[in-house]
């Protein structure tokens, strides 16, 4: 993708549905009783992988534009897939579905693309094994492909070493197939969409600080789910609006669940002009319209409990920091190393090529902002979030950029370039 500088962005947009919520709606809809209707579903490759896997397990799922209809099979109605379940690039599909699969009365195998088979799976293998799940890494390296055999699960009290919604949700889904109360305690609270949606479907989940308490129920019941727009996708436009001169962007219907909205606090602490309008609740999820205006950003420190609430936004926060006066320090974010790419290295390498004063640390990065950026030949490393973050940086560079491997953006935001161009 060739990206020429554009110095002013104006307009009103709605970004696609939330990826995390779209995945969960398919999974819960598939094991609920009845007909679940999902509106504003994200038609990105990751969520389509989840649909494909559940279809392989005998669930009837139909798509009409952005609405998905799922005829649920009930908690015990999934069928053995006749082939490997292929999650593509989707870590959420692999980790959440594994929890659910440990509780089924059939054996199956899961695999994915060249990135997914390098990502750590011990974080789910370990707690699921403690629950009596029979889940194995086929190559014995604690990575996918995974082989899951049927077993009788037991409830556990688990203290997770990482704040990970994927780990938490995997255990929560497995806990549906036990007969006692399972608790999961995290170091910090990660995104809570599974908690909210399970209760929406008739589950029994309580929360006490960073502990989640799951009581199994006999059945889940189909619901209508309206998916808010994804704050992780909105983040590119928030930063674009702040760093481009004479710009103003309104982003409609964005999910601002407090466990996801860390980027808003960080950009406000950088003196970004961001306003929330029309705040309301949809299916237990908080939603708002977000208005951003060109701002003179200042450096900041991003650390501690806010990190899980903005973990996917760190590459675009690094871009904001490059355009801010002063130093930005991002720490406590070692999880970035095990995302779709090692996002500490990939973000640092590519922004450096544009002239940014940025260095990696063990658990984050340090950016000295304010140096003008120039265009360059950049690589996304097949990481959708890196690709979109670099695009926003490139719009504000002094010369043209050539972004290699930009097709990966289809993972979470297939219409990204079209939406962006509407603001030129
Ligand atoms: C996700 C959780 C996060 C996030 C990922 C989606 C989810 O991962 O990075 O893109 O839907 O639960 P971790 O919870 O493993 O940090």
């Amino acid at each position: 993708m060739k990206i020429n500088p554009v110095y002013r962005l104006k307009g009103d947009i709605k970004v696609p549905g939330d990826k995390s919520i779209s995945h969960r709606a398919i999974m819960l809809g598939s094991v609920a009783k009845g007909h679940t209707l999902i509106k504003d579903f994200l038609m990105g490759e990751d969520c389509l992988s989840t649909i494909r896997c559940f279809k392989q397990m005998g669930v009837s799922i139909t798509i009409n534009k952005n609405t998905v209809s799922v005829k649920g099979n009930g908690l015990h109605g999934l069928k053995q897939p006749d082939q490997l379940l292929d999650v593509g690039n989707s870590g959420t599909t692999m980790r959440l579905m594994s929890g659910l699969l440990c509780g089924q009365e059939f054996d199956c195998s899961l695999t994915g693309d060249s990135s997914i088979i390098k990502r750590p799976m011990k974080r789910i293998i370990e707690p699921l094994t403690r629950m009596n799940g029979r889940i194995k890494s086929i190559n014995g390296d604690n990575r996918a492909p995974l082989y899951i055999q049927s077993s009788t699960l037991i409830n556990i009290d688990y203290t997770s070493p990482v704040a990970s919604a994927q780990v938490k949700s995997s255990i929560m889904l497995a806990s549906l197939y036990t007969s006692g109360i399972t608790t999961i305690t995290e170091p910090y609270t990660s995104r809570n969409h599974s908690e909210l949606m399970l209760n929406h479907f008739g589950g029994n989940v309580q929360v006490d600080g960073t502990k989640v308490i799951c009581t199994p129920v006999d059945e889940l019941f189909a619901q209508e789910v309206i998916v808010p727009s994804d704050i992780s996708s909105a983040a590119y436009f928030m930063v674009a609006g702040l760093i481009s001169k004479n710009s103003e962007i309104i982003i409609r219907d964005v999910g601002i669940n407090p466990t996801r909205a860390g980027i808003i606090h960080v950009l406000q602490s950088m003196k970004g002009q961001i306003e929330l309008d029309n705040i309301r609740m949809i299916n237990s999820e908080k939603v708002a319209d977000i208005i951003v205006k060109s701002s003179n950003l200042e450096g900041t420190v991003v650390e501690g409990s806010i990190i899980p609430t903005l973990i996917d936004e760190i590459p675009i926060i690094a871009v904001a920091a490059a355009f801010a006066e002063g130093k930005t320090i991002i720490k406590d974010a070692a999880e970035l190393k095990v995302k779709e790419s090692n996002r500490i290295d990939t973000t640092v390498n590519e922004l450096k090529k544009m002239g940014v004063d940025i260095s990696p640390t063990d658990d984050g990065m340090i950016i000295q902002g304010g140096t003008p950026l120039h265009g360059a030949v950049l690589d996304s490393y097949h990481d959708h979030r890196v690709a979109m973050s670099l695009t926003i940086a490139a719009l504000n560079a002094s010369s043209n950029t050539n972004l290699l491997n930009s097709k990966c953006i289809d993972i979470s935001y297939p219409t990204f370039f079209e939406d962006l161009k509407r603001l030129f």
Side-chain angles (χ1 to χ4, degrees), residues 125-147:
I125 293 176
E126 204 245 336
L128 293 174
T129 305
R130 282 214 222 166
M131 295 178 86
N132 210 25
R134 291 167 74 195
I135 170 168
K136 276 194 191 65
S137 155
I138 290 175
N139 298 325
D141 57 359
N142 280 318
R143 300 185 198 285
L146 302 176
Y147 179 50

Side-chain angles (χ1 to χ4, degrees), residues 19-20 24 92 95 123 163-166 191 311-312 339:
K19 183 153 84 70
S20 295
R24 285 157 173 80
T92 309
R95 296 200 177 106
R123 51 183 60 200
S164 161
Q166 294 185 349
R191 64 190 66 190
I311 190 71
D312 290 340
K339 295 295 177 188

Side-chain angles (χ1 to χ4, degrees), residues 45 100 131 148 294 324:
E45 281 178 7
L100 204 59
M131 295 178 86
I148 298 178
S294 313

Side-chain angles (χ1 to χ4, degrees), residues 1-16 233 236-237 240 244 247-249 388 391-392 395 401 403 406 409 413-424:
M1 180 62 66
K2 300 240 180 328
I3 305 153
N4 302 335
V6 171
Y7 298 106
R8 175 180 168 277
L9 298 169
K10 272 210 178 333
D12 192 323
I13 59 162
K14 180 170 162 89
V15 303
S233 300
Y236 306 106
F237 297 102
S244 311
S247 297
E248 179 167 345
I249 307 174
M388 288 185 272
T391 301
I392 300 304
L395 288 181
T401 288
L403 175 61
S406 60
I409 289 174
Y413 198 161
T415 55
F416 175 68
F417 287 111
E418 284 161 43
D419 289 358
L420 186 57
K421 279 181 197 149
R422 290 201 293 116
L423 301 174
F424 290 177

Side-chain angles (χ1 to χ4, degrees), residues 201-216:
F201 275 75
N204 183 349
V205 183
Q206 280 151 39
V207 178
D208 177 11
T210 57
K211 185 194 272 191
V212 175
I213 303 152
C214 309
T215 308

